[in-house]
Amino acid sequence: MGDRGNMSCGDFMSCETLILLVTIGLIVSNPKYSIINLIFYLIISSCIYLHHASNNAVIKPLFYPESSGINEVKLFWIAVMGFIIHSFVHSNIISYSTSNQNSILRIIIQLWIMISAMLHRPHNIILLPMQLITCKIISDSLQFNNNKVMKFYANYCIGNVFYFYQGNSNSLATVDVAAGYVGLQSFILPITTIFICINTFSAPILAYLMTLHDEITSRELNRTVGEKIFLLNRLFTLFKFLPLSVYTIIITIMRYHLFVWSVFSPKLLYEAMYSTVLFITMFTMQSILSFTRNERLE
């Protein structure tokens, strides 16, 4: 009875979280396509829930057949691809306007949340909408503050906070290896590596994307979108190179001490992987969102 009660609580929380994510998605989506988006959101949310249900992480719906969770993940990816095609077709990406770039970035943020929700454990999915709400509150609180470094640092800290809320630490033992095998029947190194990286660094990358969204939508004179992205990426690069450099120097100086390899070495590995994932994301965003005419806000 106790286990049943715990599963019921987890089941309830998962449903509430997915409903909250669907609601947030509808709020930020184009009202013109709200019905179509709602259908995609419901299909994707159902796939996420049923995948966890097939693994006995949440209560399985009544009369739902036995499943390994593979088919649910396949349907999830099909729905995600459909959502991508639908979103980009109706976002009119060839116009290259600032408002259009904002729409593209919103699509990317939604995709990141969808994939993260599929890879996360059920009790961690709640962190996704909570981080979105927290970033929104911080952004609204600092909207009249022209200190961009403060806004950036606030979002940067939010990403780190939710990173540790997820259960991560500086120890390799906390890496959720199971996330790398979601929907897979065998070990595939590239896919497994990508899934583990997405699951592990979901919160910091989401914080970066939310910061980028705020930066693009800001009404700043005499600065193109490409320049805004470049300046933001420069700040993130600086903040990542500082700890990476410090840990590298410490390990180099104390390389003969056993304590270094048990404490600082895992931390350096985390920082190196985080930097790699972040730099790939920054390069991708710079490439996708910078293809605009050199239009400056009047």
Side-chain angles (χ1 to χ4, degrees):
M1 290 294 292
D3 294 340
R4 181 73 177 180
N6 291 336
M7 289 186 66
S8 298
C9 181
D11 174 66
F12 176 77
M13 290 180 62
S14 297
C15 289
E16 290 290 309
T17 301
L18 293 174
I19 292 173
L20 181 57
L21 284 174
V22 170
T23 303
I24 294 175
L26 289 176
I27 292 175
V28 302
S29 63
N30 190 337
K32 184 178 179 181
Y33 307 108
S34 58
I35 301 299
I36 300 177
N37 288 334
L38 177 61
I39 294 174
F40 277 114
Y41 295 153
L42 291 178
I43 294 175
I44 291 172
S45 299
S46 299
C47 292
I48 294 173
Y49 183 86
L50 293 176
H51 165 70
H52 290 301
S54 64
N55 295 327
N56 296 320
V58 295
I59 292 180
K60 188 177 297 184
L62 194 62
F63 303 120
Y64 190 76
E66 290 294 328
S67 173
S68 62
I70 302 295
N71 292 329
E72 289 81 357
V73 177
K74 289 180 180 179
L75 181 58
F76 166 82
W77 288 115
I78 293 174
V80 167
M81 289 302 299
F83 175 78
I84 293 174
I85 295 173
H86 162 75
S87 299
F88 277 95
V89 166
H90 292 289
S91 65
N92 192 21
I93 60 176
I94 61 174
S95 64
Y96 297 132
S97 64
T98 302
S99 60
N100 183 58
Q101 286 182 329
N102 185 24
S103 300
I104 294 175
L105 184 55
R106 286 184 180 180
I107 295 171
I108 294 174
I109 293 175
Q110 291 182 74
L111 291 176
W112 185 263
I113 293 173
M114 291 174 185
I115 298 173
S116 297
M118 174 57 79
L119 299 179
H120 280 0
R121 295 187 180 273
H123 58 272
N124 281 335
I125 300 178
I126 187 63
L127 297 177
L128 295 171
M130 289 298 101
Q131 183 175 354
L132 292 175
I133 295 172
T134 304
C135 288
K136 179 61 177 176
I137 293 174
I138 295 297
S139 176
D140 291 343
S141 301
L142 299 177
Q143 62 178 337
F144 299 111
N145 192 326
N146 294 324
N147 191 341
K148 291 188 174 297
V149 177
M150 180 180 294
K151 295 179 181 179
F152 155 78
Y153 188 68
N155 283 310
Y156 182 84
C157 290
I158 290 173
N160 288 337
V161 166
F162 280 89
Y163 167 82
F164 289 107
Y165 277 169
Q166 189 180 333
N168 297 309
S169 68
N170 296 328
S171 173
L172 297 179
T174 58
V175 176
D176 188 6
V177 181
Y181 295 88
V182 172
L184 300 181
Q185 294 177 311
S186 60
F187 174 72
I188 304 176
L189 180 59
I191 297 179
T192 301
T193 303
I194 292 173
F195 282 1
I196 292 177
C197 289
I198 292 176
N199 180 69
T200 304
F201 302 108
S202 170
I205 298 302
L206 181 57
Y208 165 76
L209 294 175
M210 293 298 294
T211 308
L212 186 59
H213 179 268
D214 290 341
E215 187 68 17
I216 289 180
T217 55
S218 64
R219 300 291 299 177
E220 187 172 354
L221 299 177
N222 299 323
R223 187 164 289 176
T224 64
V225 172
E227 292 171 345
K228 292 180 179 180
I229 299 174
F230 176 77
L231 292 176
L232 180 64
N233 289 346
R234 190 170 63 178
L235 272 176
F236 267 93
T237 302
L238 176 63
F239 268 74
K240 288 315 302 173
F241 266 129
L242 284 177
L244 196 61
S245 302
V246 170
Y247 286 115
T248 302
I249 293 173
I250 291 176
I251 287 181
T252 302
I253 295 175
M254 305 182 65
R255 60 187 179 276
Y256 297 114
H257 199 295
L258 293 178
F259 179 76
V260 170
W261 300 109
S262 61
V263 177
F264 287 100
S265 180
K267 177 62 176 177
L268 180 62
L269 181 59
Y270 267 106
E271 290 294 333
M273 285 303 301
Y274 178 15
S275 300
T276 302
V277 174
L278 180 61
F279 292 158
I280 292 174
T281 305
M282 289 192 299
F283 176 78
T284 304
M285 293 299 101
Q286 186 82 49
S287 302
I288 293 176
L289 300 177
S290 294
F291 287 108
T292 60
R293 302 183 185 96
N294 291 324
E295 297 175 348
R296 300 178 185 271
L297 296 175
E298 300 295 339

